[in-house]
Amino acid sequence: MKKLVACLGTALVTVLTSLALAAPATAAPTSGINDWTCQPSATHPEPVVLWHGLGSSGDVGMALLSQHLKGKGYCVYYKTYGTTHWGPFTGGLASMRESAGELDAFVEKVRASTGAAKVSIAGHSEGTTVPAYYLKFLGGDQVVKHFVGFGSNFKGTSLQGLQELADLLGFRPILEAGGCTACNEFAPSSEFMKDLNEGGVSVPGPSYTSIVTKYDEVVTPYTSGILAPASNVKNVVLQDVCALDFSGHVGLAWDPNVFALVANALDPANAKPVSCVPVPWLS
């Protein structure tokens, strides 16, 4: 019994990997971000909406990428979505269907504020899954120009076998009652994943760029982030660009090499070579 309890505890900690990164909104730099007076430039006419991962928040999960893109002249916006009884600074826990609705409303707010016809979206982890659902089912394909994901997850994750353990031990209701509906929806066999993958994940219209790492310890296998080939789809394995970048799942949110890939995907006409900065602390 003690071993079972230990396994359950490990499962919950692993499923909520990003929770350790969550922090109050005031803890991260936000200067120049979520500026509702920002007007997109002719160089970057689409404002960028950033979408964080499970258990994280906008202020933490998108702290560095938001500044990077703001420095390039984009109007940049994010929010903490999908909160439950864990509090307002821990997001991505509610049903991903509900979170896709939040994304829809937030995109419309950004469009109304900036006057932009379209936005671009960049997201990490669950911040790839939710936008993919939004693009496919909620009309996002009509108002999004570029969608860029890193640490992408479109087919669910085995979580190193912990999903099977959760089923075996009847752990699903505990996750649901614990305020993490999204945790159950990430099971490859969930109804959410079945709906997202039925007929293919991507849809015509927006460009899709999916960036994955071979060393992803949360999205397993990492190929769950690989999209089916299409004319508007580009898959990028980080190590094919920067062979010595061993960043894992969480590290991608802080990786300057990933930021360079994201910037290129948002502005492909002016893409620049990635310099492949050494980032051993992210592995």
Side-chain angles (χ1 to χ4, degrees):
M1 179 58 70
K2 289 184 179 180
K3 289 184 178 180
L4 287 179
V5 172
C7 287
L8 289 175
T10 301
L12 183 57
V13 169
T14 304
V15 171
L16 301 179
T17 298
S18 303
L19 285 177
L21 298 178
T26 55
T30 58
S31 176
I33 310 301
N34 287 342
D35 178 0
W36 299 103
T37 67
C38 187
Q39 293 299 303
S41 66
T43 305
H44 299 305
E46 290 82 30
V48 180
V49 173
L50 303 180
W51 220 239
H52 64 76
L54 187 152
S56 188
S57 66
D59 287 329
V60 174
M62 293 300 163
L64 295 186
L65 179 57
S66 61
Q67 296 295 331
H68 180 80
L69 295 177
K70 183 65 180 180
K72 289 185 173 293
Y74 287 96
C75 294
V76 183
Y77 302 86
Y78 60 64
K79 68 171 291 184
T80 299
Y81 69 91
T83 60
T84 60
H85 52 251
W86 285 83
F89 305 126
T90 304
L93 304 179
S95 168
M96 288 190 277
R97 300 181 198 272
E98 296 176 13
S99 293
E102 284 193 57
L103 176 57
D104 183 16
F106 192 68
V107 166
E108 292 310 305
K109 180 179 179 181
V110 170
R111 291 178 64 221
S113 173
T114 60
K118 293 190 175 185
V119 305
S120 290
I121 296 175
H124 175 228
S125 190
E126 185 182 339
T128 69
T129 321
V130 169
Y133 188 93
Y134 161 66
L135 291 172
K136 184 174 181 178
F137 295 110
L138 300 183
D141 59 318
Q142 301 299 308
V143 295
V144 174
K145 184 169 183 179
H146 300 298
F147 167 45
V148 191
F150 49 101
S152 303
N153 188 347
F154 303 119
K155 301 181 183 70
T157 173
S158 71
L159 276 174
Q160 308 283 3
L162 290 173
Q163 292 283 17
E164 290 80 358
L165 181 65
D167 288 328
L168 180 65
L169 299 180
F171 198 35
R172 299 290 177 200
I174 297 175
L175 286 172
E176 185 76 31
C180 192
T181 300
C183 294
N184 287 330
E185 290 174 337
F186 271 119
S189 60
S190 73
E191 290 301 315
F192 179 90
M193 285 299 166
K194 289 178 182 177
D195 289 346
L196 181 60
N197 283 273
E198 180 68 29
V201 174
S202 66
V203 295
S207 73
Y208 287 71
T209 302
S210 181
I211 302 164
V212 299
T213 173
K214 292 180 179 178
Y215 302 100
D216 200 312
E217 71 285 6
V218 176
V219 179
T220 57
Y222 76 90
T223 51
S224 289
I226 299 294
L227 290 163
S231 60
N232 61 331
V233 167
K234 181 179 182 180
N235 293 300
V236 180
V237 178
L238 177 59
Q239 286 73 35
D240 289 346
V241 179
C242 298
L244 298 181
D245 188 329
F246 304 109
S247 294
H249 185 79
V250 175
L252 296 179
W254 313 97
D255 191 332
N257 301 320
V258 172
F259 297 171
L261 290 169
V262 170
N264 284 345
L266 292 173
D267 189 10
N270 296 294
K272 297 176 174 59
V274 179
S275 58
C276 292
V277 177
V279 285
W281 57 89
L282 297 179
S283 60

